[in-house]
Amino acid sequence: MQDQFQTTYSAGQHLFTKGDDGDCAFIIEKGTVEVYINKKDKKMIIAILSAGDLLGEMAIIDRLPRTASAQALEDTEVLVIPHEYVAQKIECSDATVRFFLKVIMERYRDMHARLMRVFEGINPDESDYQDMYASTKNVVHNLMQQYLNMQDRILTAVNTAAPINDKYDENEDDDVTRTKFSLGIENSLQLALENEEFELHYQPIIDLQTGSIKGCEALIRWLHPERGLLGPFDFIPYAENTGLIIPLGYWITEQACHFQKQLAQHYSSDFFMSINLSSKQFESADLTSNMASIVQNFASSPGQIKFEITESLLMTNPDLAQSALSELKETGVRLAIDDFGTGYSSLSYLHQFPFDTLKIDRSFVSTMLQNKKSNEIVKSLIDLSHNLGMEVVAEGVETTFEADMIKQYRAELAQGYLYSKPITAEAFKKLLQ
Ligand code: C2E
Ligand code: MG
Ligand code: MG
């Protein structure tokens, strides 16, 4: 199996010959490649390819043996794309992408097989290129017809996609079902953003020393016209899959910063706002500059805005996380690591990221009275955070016992139902009064 990503072939060298294991595709970076089959000892050229062209892509579909040969006509540089590499990428993609790719690839394989049969059927003694084109044209015509049929089927699938209020059966998790379900919710998500059906609720964050409200966390809700109030777990994963999290994330930040400024003016100038960022948002190259300008325009000051990031970003792509977080930090905002302890990020590299705050996950706080280990973890996390220069928020504080204990362990801040559930902006203003 090919494992190099970049390879050079000198003039006359074969990239592959008919019957070889089809284990990779190639993208030509420089040079020329001839694709041909042999008919009665005569070479029949199927295609001449050059820089930018893709060849051997059938391997990506099913790894069947090569049906033709490919030879470099001059010194040629190619990028090798192993079958396994693409297969993994497809498996990791969302159900809709996977479903359509599989259908398209099957059709493509079928089309390719037919085309090869046409070439095989041409008699090199009798035929000339005229004949070849005539028969290929016929095949292309038939294929066009097939594609139109396929288009019809896709349209039907889209139109019959389950609306959001249809129950999604977890057990029936084949790609087609998932695709239908996702299509339903994904379409309505886009509309929800246009129809302003989203709303931010705010949960106070308490200073444990004084008992006063120091800031809050913005938590998104969807006021669904039929299903009522939906929490983030019902729709954020879909917003992430479709990329809608990008515009939605900007909307959230704008709303939250605007509210922060109001509270800083009317309640306390150092009132801070915590805003959750999904790791998907970091895939957008403009994240930092866009967030910086929103914060600049809407918040009272960048230092009063705190972006919360979960461990998943640090785990999946530590290098990206480090550069993106440093960039974000340079705009003057503060950063918190959210739900700490639920992921698998190593404590040993926590200091490499520019966090100001560590939020201890609710699962430790809510069991710290019954479970000695949770208690130890909370205590150690608070100490560790302080040693690394971070302040601590204990999440999910529901009882005064828990509040007393984390205060004793010297956590600075607490958040939880003991103080308040997340509430609307109006209710929050009343709470402050
Ligand atoms: P999170 O950032 O850890 O937010 C805290 C969650 O814990 C909230 O759930 C809150 O309602 C809940 N909570 C707070 N105190 C208590 C308590 O004392 N007891 C219990 N049982 N729960 C408590 P919510 O609002 O359902 O949010 C869930 C998650 O969804 C958030 O976890 C966050 O990861 C994500 N999320 C929420 N809003 C946004 C958003 O605007 N953007 C993004 N990307 N994610 C968001
Ligand atoms: Mg959070
Ligand atoms: Mg949290």
Short mmCIF file of all heavy atoms in Angstrom, two decimals, residues 217 219 276 308 310 337-340 342 359-362 395-396 415, ligand 3:
data_model
loop_
_atom_site.label_atom_id
_atom_site.label_comp_id
_atom_site.label_asym_id
_atom_site.label_seq_id
_atom_site.Cartn_x
_atom_site.Cartn_y
_atom_site.Cartn_z
N GLU A 217 -23.56 33.56 32.74
CA GLU A 217 -23.25 32.79 31.54
C GLU A 217 -24.45 32.83 30.62
O GLU A 217 -25.59 32.65 31.05
CB GLU A 217 -22.93 31.33 31.91
CG GLU A 217 -22.70 30.47 30.67
CD GLU A 217 -22.20 29.05 30.97
OE1 GLU A 217 -22.12 28.67 32.16
OE2 GLU A 217 -21.88 28.35 29.99
N LEU A 219 -26.74 31.22 27.89
CA LEU A 219 -27.07 29.85 27.48
C LEU A 219 -28.22 29.90 26.47
O LEU A 219 -29.27 30.48 26.75
CB LEU A 219 -27.45 29.01 28.71
CG LEU A 219 -26.28 28.82 29.69
CD1 LEU A 219 -26.78 28.48 31.09
CD2 LEU A 219 -25.31 27.75 29.20
N ASN A 276 -20.31 30.65 25.55
CA ASN A 276 -19.79 29.34 25.14
C ASN A 276 -19.38 29.35 23.68
O ASN A 276 -20.11 29.83 22.82
CB ASN A 276 -20.85 28.25 25.33
CG ASN A 276 -21.14 28.00 26.80
OD1 ASN A 276 -20.33 27.37 27.49
ND2 ASN A 276 -22.25 28.52 27.28
N GLU A 308 -15.92 30.58 26.90
CA GLU A 308 -15.77 29.25 27.51
C GLU A 308 -15.56 28.20 26.42
O GLU A 308 -16.29 28.15 25.44
CB GLU A 308 -17.03 28.88 28.31
CG GLU A 308 -17.29 29.81 29.46
CD GLU A 308 -18.37 29.30 30.41
OE1 GLU A 308 -18.95 28.22 30.15
OE2 GLU A 308 -18.63 29.98 31.42
N THR A 310 -14.61 23.96 25.78
CA THR A 310 -14.52 22.66 26.46
C THR A 310 -13.23 21.96 26.06
O THR A 310 -12.55 22.37 25.12
CB THR A 310 -15.72 21.75 26.12
OG1 THR A 310 -15.76 21.60 24.72
CG2 THR A 310 -17.02 22.32 26.64
N ILE A 337 -11.83 27.40 30.72
CA ILE A 337 -11.99 26.00 30.29
C ILE A 337 -13.21 25.45 31.02
O ILE A 337 -13.29 25.49 32.25
CB ILE A 337 -10.71 25.16 30.47
CG1 ILE A 337 -11.00 23.73 30.02
CG2 ILE A 337 -10.15 25.18 31.89
CD1 ILE A 337 -9.82 23.02 29.45
N ASP A 338 -14.17 24.98 30.22
CA ASP A 338 -15.50 24.61 30.71
C ASP A 338 -15.58 23.11 30.99
O ASP A 338 -14.83 22.33 30.40
CB ASP A 338 -16.52 24.97 29.61
CG ASP A 338 -17.93 25.10 30.14
OD1 ASP A 338 -18.15 24.91 31.34
OD2 ASP A 338 -18.83 25.41 29.32
N ASP A 339 -16.49 22.71 31.86
CA ASP A 339 -16.76 21.29 32.15
C ASP A 339 -15.47 20.54 32.46
O ASP A 339 -15.30 19.39 32.04
CB ASP A 339 -17.43 20.59 30.95
CG ASP A 339 -18.72 21.27 30.55
OD1 ASP A 339 -19.25 22.05 31.36
OD2 ASP A 339 -19.18 21.03 29.42
N PHE A 340 -14.56 21.16 33.16
CA PHE A 340 -13.27 20.53 33.33
C PHE A 340 -13.39 19.21 34.11
O PHE A 340 -14.07 19.12 35.12
CB PHE A 340 -12.24 21.45 34.02
CG PHE A 340 -10.85 20.89 33.86
CD1 PHE A 340 -10.14 21.09 32.70
CD2 PHE A 340 -10.28 20.11 34.86
CE1 PHE A 340 -8.89 20.53 32.52
CE2 PHE A 340 -9.03 19.55 34.71
CZ PHE A 340 -8.33 19.76 33.52
N THR A 342 -14.36 16.32 32.53
CA THR A 342 -15.21 15.38 31.79
C THR A 342 -14.49 14.83 30.56
O THR A 342 -14.79 13.75 30.09
CB THR A 342 -16.52 16.04 31.33
OG1 THR A 342 -16.18 17.24 30.63
CG2 THR A 342 -17.40 16.35 32.50
N LYS A 359 -13.49 25.95 35.04
CA LYS A 359 -14.83 25.64 35.55
C LYS A 359 -14.90 24.15 35.86
O LYS A 359 -14.77 23.31 34.96
CB LYS A 359 -15.91 26.03 34.54
CG LYS A 359 -15.94 27.54 34.27
CD LYS A 359 -17.12 27.94 33.40
CE LYS A 359 -18.40 28.03 34.20
NZ LYS A 359 -19.51 28.64 33.38
N ILE A 360 -15.06 23.82 37.13
CA ILE A 360 -15.11 22.41 37.53
C ILE A 360 -16.48 21.85 37.17
O ILE A 360 -17.51 22.42 37.53
CB ILE A 360 -14.86 22.24 39.04
CG1 ILE A 360 -13.50 22.84 39.40
CG2 ILE A 360 -14.95 20.78 39.45
CD1 ILE A 360 -13.19 22.75 40.89
N ASP A 361 -16.48 20.74 36.48
CA ASP A 361 -17.74 20.17 36.00
C ASP A 361 -18.68 19.81 37.14
O ASP A 361 -18.27 19.35 38.21
CB ASP A 361 -17.48 18.94 35.13
CG ASP A 361 -18.75 18.52 34.43
OD1 ASP A 361 -19.24 19.29 33.60
OD2 ASP A 361 -19.28 17.42 34.75
N ARG A 362 -19.96 19.98 36.84
CA ARG A 362 -21.05 19.71 37.77
C ARG A 362 -21.00 18.29 38.35
O ARG A 362 -21.36 18.07 39.50
CB ARG A 362 -22.35 19.92 36.99
CG ARG A 362 -23.62 19.60 37.68
CD ARG A 362 -24.77 20.32 36.99
NE ARG A 362 -24.99 19.90 35.60
CZ ARG A 362 -25.76 18.85 35.26
NH1 ARG A 362 -26.37 18.16 36.17
NH2 ARG A 362 -25.94 18.54 33.99
N GLU A 395 -19.25 24.58 39.03
CA GLU A 395 -20.52 24.52 38.31
C GLU A 395 -21.51 23.61 39.01
O GLU A 395 -21.11 22.67 39.71
CB GLU A 395 -20.32 23.93 36.90
CG GLU A 395 -19.42 24.71 35.99
CD GLU A 395 -19.52 24.17 34.55
OE1 GLU A 395 -18.76 23.25 34.23
OE2 GLU A 395 -20.36 24.67 33.79
N GLY A 396 -22.79 23.86 38.81
CA GLY A 396 -23.82 22.94 39.30
C GLY A 396 -23.95 22.89 40.81
O GLY A 396 -24.25 21.85 41.37
N GLN A 415 -21.70 28.68 40.46
CA GLN A 415 -22.84 28.81 39.55
C GLN A 415 -23.70 27.59 39.76
O GLN A 415 -23.19 26.48 39.91
CB GLN A 415 -22.27 28.82 38.12
CG GLN A 415 -23.28 28.91 37.00
CD GLN A 415 -22.58 28.92 35.63
OE1 GLN A 415 -21.35 28.96 35.53
NE2 GLN A 415 -23.37 28.86 34.58
MG MG B 3 -20.01 23.84 31.96
#
